[in-house]
Amino acid sequence: MNAIISASRLARDLAGPTPPVLLDVRWQLGGPHLRSAYEEAHLPGAVFVDLDAELAGPAGPAGRHPLPDVEEFGAVMRAAGVSADRDVVVYDGGQGWAAARAWWLLRWTGHPSVRVLDGGLGRWSGPLESGTPTPRAGTFVPVPGAVELLDADGAAELARSGLLLDARAGERYRGEVEPVDPVAGHIPGAVSAPTTENVTEKGDLRPAEELAARFARLGADGTTRVGVYCGSGVSGAHQVLALAVAGVPAALYVGSWSQWSADPSRPVAKGPEPS
């Protein structure tokens, strides 16, 4: 199944006999909480999911957005109406990062049919509703491991033996600035590949053929094992989504730079080159 869905296709699916479950994952790094915006207006029937509290565990040595407790994540998904035999569509305010984090977690825990609304809420031209719906409880039971997950050692090894993509902005990769984490730079051997270059000026994901060409130029030519990291496993999930659309499977290092840079024993590279 394609990892993304257009607003027009979503409208048709919602009008069908088995509409997908909708998850609203609006979120801003360091910005105001967006639950109130959700309560004011959201896609009909969509349930709000809190990225910081429900799609991640507490910040600490494992990173700013480590994996959530699997049992707690399953309970959140069931409360939102998620079942393994029903399609799920996730959306956010348009950037796509938060929606991709939910997409990746559901895929990692075994859900077979999850898509991200391309372009987010702004692409939806249909009716909206306010308030907080109470969906019928779902039956989804998460089983981790359906897609590949990297830890710090695995990311370091992949940077040497395969292709590890750094999804952060180029200036953070080069170590020129670091607005969030304690150390500037990148994992030695990683290749700079800003997530922002995967989308058009309007915020839609680029066509699959453009993405495939971009990743091939970076070294993802179908013969190399690929991994991705970012600051804390959010924008990196969007990179994994873009790679999936391009037909390239990729592992995610969820701890990402926030975990790597917190460990003084881990080496750090700076500058435009991988090492």
Side-chain angles (χ1 to χ4, degrees):
M1 170 172 284
N2 197 340
I4 59 172
I5 184 172
S6 67
S8 58
R9 174 60 188 270
L10 176 58
R12 293 196 297 271
D13 287 358
L14 288 173
T18 310
V21 173
L22 297 178
L23 303 180
D24 185 311
V25 200
R26 277 177 274 179
W27 170 82
Q28 293 184 74
L29 176 63
H33 199 283
L34 296 179
R35 183 182 291 274
S36 60
Y38 158 81
E39 293 174 350
E40 290 175 5
H42 54 264
L43 269 66
V47 175
F48 184 77
V49 179
D50 187 325
L51 186 148
D52 290 318
E54 297 173 328
L55 301 182
R64 281 182 281 110
H65 291 106
L67 290 172
D69 177 86
V70 171
E71 293 302 320
E72 292 178 4
F73 173 70
V76 168
M77 291 297 102
R78 289 190 293 274
V82 174
S83 298
D85 60 354
R86 187 175 173 189
D87 293 351
V88 176
V89 172
V90 293
Y91 70 90
D92 56 26
Q95 190 177 41
W97 294 4
R101 171 74 176 214
W103 168 84
W104 183 86
L105 276 169
L106 280 164
R107 295 291 294 120
W108 177 65
T109 52
H111 198 289
S113 179
V114 191
R115 289 171 290 177
V116 170
L117 176 59
D118 195 14
L121 181 62
R123 293 292 174 271
W124 179 255
S125 60
L128 298 172
E129 69 178 20
S130 60
T132 304
T134 304
R136 181 179 179 181
T139 59
F140 178 66
V141 177
V143 180
V147 296
E148 189 176 6
L149 171 69
L150 293 174
D151 59 11
D153 289 340
E157 190 279 329
L158 188 56
R160 295 188 298 265
S161 65
L163 177 65
L164 182 66
L165 299 177
D166 185 318
R168 299 172 301 158
E171 58 268 25
R172 291 184 70 189
Y173 170 87
R174 294 188 295 271
E176 297 166 0
V177 298
E178 182 44 67
V180 185
D181 294 311
V183 178
H186 61 266
I187 296 175
V191 174
S192 180
T195 293
T196 52
E197 296 181 15
N198 294 328
V199 298
T200 67
E201 292 182 357
K202 295 181 178 180
D204 300 315
L205 205 62
R206 295 189 183 279
E209 59 273 15
E210 289 185 21
L211 292 171
R214 183 201 181 203
F215 291 125
R217 289 192 297 270
L218 291 168
D221 57 4
T223 65
T224 302
R225 185 165 160 250
V226 180
V228 178
Y229 77 98
C230 57
S232 64
V234 178
S235 67
H238 191 267
Q239 186 96 293
V240 173
L241 174 76
L243 283 156
V245 171
V248 180
L252 179 64
Y253 172 27
V254 171
S256 285
W257 189 247
S258 61
Q259 181 186 38
W260 184 279
S261 62
D263 183 348
S265 71
R266 295 283 177 190
V268 173
K270 292 188 177 183
E273 300 301 322
S275 57

